[in-house]
Amino acid sequence: MSIFSPSSPTLFLSTTNPRVSLLPSTSNSSSWRVRSAFRRFPCLAFSAAHGMAETVQDKKCSPSPSSTPLPVSGSELGCSPTFIDARSEQDLILGIQRELEAETLPKPIAQSMEELYHNYKTAVLKSGDPCAEDIVVSNMRVAFDRMFLDVKEPFEFSPYHEAIREPFDYYTFGQSYIRPLINFKESYVGNVSLFTKIEQQLNQGENVILISNHQTEADPAVIALLLETTNPHISENIIYVAGDRVITDPLCKPFSMGRNLLCVYSKKHMNDDPELVDMKRRSNTRSLKEMALLLRGGSKIIWIAPSGGRDRPDPVTNQWFPAPFDANSLDNMRRLVQHAGVVGHIYPLSMLCHDIMPPPPQVEKEIGEKRLISYHGTGVSVGPPIDFQEATVSCGSPDEAKVVYSQAVYDSFCPLR
């Protein structure tokens, strides 16, 4: 059984509704730019209309992109000096070339690493941070070192992976890498009071499920960065239901190693290799068992995107709405919560961070997609929990209830359609 959904057409609805009301009234240009962003993706605006949203800048929820570069030492990493001892862009690029010539770095990965460096540099420089060039070199030398280490000694993820915090802190590494890409002055957190309530429920031993849309590979870091001051327990303890691509792509794996993950194979790619189908199904079954055990223990917060993939804009209108949810995936999650023997709550969580690291226009089968990167504002908002009994009271069958509940949760993302 798989948590993730099968491939399905993406639903695109107009996001130009003029009724969007965002943020406490203010005339400054930053607030206007934030409001404009949410007209593109209004699912994040449902709490703002009730005065329950704040800009990250106003809340001072996170450090500015000028945070100091991530400090690490070669002895701590226990890796070769090729990248970790680099002190300039030239050192890094020459390091890639040397390892390519030594045949210790495959050509496709070497090319992707160099391309990633230039894209990351361009994005961070757009922040205007006076330390931008130093931040780029410092963060990229650590990123390349971790990627190179995994090429030499590939890390294998278990069905339930706990974030690696020592001897190397992969969580802090991921936060430091993504932080310079976020324009915190134009970022947004909705329903801060509900995030606080979620923390209280977790502290009481209850479970919380975040049903979310999915935009980029950076989603976990964006959530954690926007909430790291106001709700640090959520930031560091979310367990993400993750597809196999983020645990197999060598450029993505080091970032995944710093997150708590329940690893599954997406239905979108289940049949890419017929010889691996049985293995993938068995692996998904093990992951579901791990999830059930975690929920029985209580105090767990799990993030899942029941669309089974990232949101993509309409190719013609360039307008956004969350990709449609798979009713079976959402119902599997709901039943796991129900049978855990612990009080559980299901909240909708909406995200806007596409411009930081947009996915390819089309779903790709091959591992190793091109990473486009940008400096941009982001947003995250949580809505009130959706009660299954209330949403399905008039349904005549379990199958109907499953579909109606899935639609009710999805509709909570799109109140202005």
Side-chain angles (χ1 to χ4, degrees):
M1 189 188 311
S2 173
I3 284 287
F4 273 55
S5 68
S7 179
S8 55
T10 304
L11 176 64
F12 295 101
L13 302 171
S14 174
T15 64
T16 56
N17 193 318
R19 292 180 296 141
V20 177
S21 174
L22 292 164
L23 304 179
S25 60
T26 175
S27 60
N28 67 55
S29 59
S30 291
S31 294
W32 169 251
R33 287 192 291 271
V34 174
R35 289 195 294 271
S36 298
F38 285 92
R39 285 194 179 92
R40 292 176 57 223
F41 205 79
C43 67
L44 284 164
F46 61 90
S47 60
H50 297 88
M52 300 169 66
E54 300 181 28
T55 63
V56 176
Q57 178 192 27
D58 293 339
K59 191 68 179 177
K60 300 186 187 303
C61 289
S62 192
S64 72
S66 61
S67 303
T68 56
L70 180 67
V72 290
S73 65
S75 59
E76 179 186 12
L77 294 171
C79 198
S80 72
T82 299
F83 297 112
I84 204 59
D85 287 349
R87 292 297 179 268
S88 67
E89 175 178 317
Q90 183 180 26
D91 290 344
L92 288 169
I93 301 304
L94 288 177
I96 294 174
Q97 186 61 37
R98 283 199 303 271
E99 298 301 340
L100 176 61
E101 292 173 354
E103 298 184 349
T104 53
L105 196 58
K107 185 176 181 179
I109 297 178
Q111 291 175 333
S112 295
M113 288 170 65
E114 184 169 350
E115 179 181 68
L116 178 66
Y117 176 86
H118 291 296
N119 289 345
Y120 185 76
K121 175 184 175 181
T122 299
V124 175
L125 288 177
K126 287 181 179 178
S127 70
D129 192 303
C131 300
E133 292 190 5
D134 290 338
I135 291 173
V136 170
V137 172
S138 180
N139 284 349
M140 289 307 303
R141 72 186 182 95
V142 181
F144 283 175
D145 185 80
R146 296 291 90 188
M147 294 170 190
F148 185 47
L149 174 62
D150 191 72
V151 169
K152 296 193 299 182
E153 302 175 18
F155 180 81
E156 296 292 333
F157 288 82
S158 58
Y160 170 53
H161 168 79
E162 294 187 77
I164 298 174
R165 303 300 301 266
E166 57 182 24
F168 176 79
D169 191 337
Y170 280 90
Y171 173 83
T172 299
F173 155 65
Q175 298 299 93
S176 297
Y177 183 89
I178 298 297
R179 190 189 309 276
L181 301 177
I182 296 180
N183 184 343
F184 289 97
K185 294 180 179 179
E186 297 183 13
S187 293
Y188 164 101
V189 177
N191 265 342
V192 177
S193 61
L194 277 181
F195 282 114
T196 300
K197 182 178 180 181
I198 287 172
E199 282 202 340
Q200 293 171 346
Q201 291 169 334
L202 294 170
N203 290 333
Q204 293 167 2
E206 301 171 8
N207 293 319
V208 170
I209 307 300
L210 301 175
I211 301 298
S212 178
N213 66 310
H214 179 26
Q215 294 229 303
T216 75
E217 293 175 339
D219 285 2
V222 170
I223 294 172
L225 286 165
L226 294 185
L227 300 178
E228 68 179 353
T229 299
T230 56
N231 306 99
H233 182 79
I234 293 177
S235 291
E236 297 196 31
N237 289 281
I238 294 181
I239 301 169
Y240 297 89
V241 178
D244 55 295
R245 299 177 77 80
V246 300
I247 62 173
T248 54
D249 190 316
L251 267 63
C252 193
K253 287 176 67 176
F255 302 98
S256 299
M257 290 163 68
R259 306 293 163 182
N260 303 308
L261 303 178
L262 281 161
C263 306
V264 300
Y265 287 92
S266 170
K267 286 184 178 179
K268 287 184 177 181
H269 301 286
M270 183 65 68
N271 298 310
D272 287 355
D273 186 341
E275 294 183 0
L276 299 178
V277 171
D278 288 341
M279 180 278 293
K280 291 180 179 180
R281 287 175 177 166
R282 289 194 300 270
S283 178
N284 282 355
T285 298
R286 290 195 298 271
S287 295
L288 285 177
K289 290 180 179 178
E290 289 284 353
M291 186 185 297
L293 289 173
L294 289 169
L295 291 171
R296 289 172 194 166
S299 297
K300 298 299 185 297
I301 178 167
I302 298 177
W303 177 99
I304 180 173
S307 62
R310 290 166 286 183
D311 301 329
R312 288 174 166 86
D314 184 286
V316 177
T317 66
N318 201 37
Q319 293 174 348
W320 285 94
F321 253 77
F325 294 163
D326 177 64
N328 289 325
S329 297
L330 184 50
D331 193 59
N332 287 341
M333 193 75 249
R334 181 192 65 80
R335 287 188 288 109
L336 284 170
V337 173
Q338 180 183 355
H339 296 299
V342 176
V343 176
H345 312 273
I346 297 179
Y347 288 85
L349 181 87
S350 52
M351 296 194 63
L352 177 64
C353 59
H354 163 269
D355 290 325
I356 282 183
M357 203 175 291
Q362 305 295 329
V363 176
E364 297 181 355
K365 288 187 177 182
E366 298 299 323
I367 297 294
E369 67 185 51
K370 182 177 181 179
R371 264 77 181 186
L372 301 177
I373 305 175
S374 181
Y375 172 73
H376 211 276
T378 60
V380 62
S381 182
V382 64
I386 309 297
D387 183 81
F388 177 78
Q389 299 299 330
E390 292 181 4
T392 63
V393 64
S394 62
C395 294
S397 69
D399 286 342
E400 181 186 1
K402 179 169 57 178
V403 173
V404 168
Y405 182 67
S406 178
Q407 189 63 46
V409 177
Y410 180 85
D411 287 346
S412 72
F413 281 74
C414 314
L416 301 177
R417 67 177 180 154

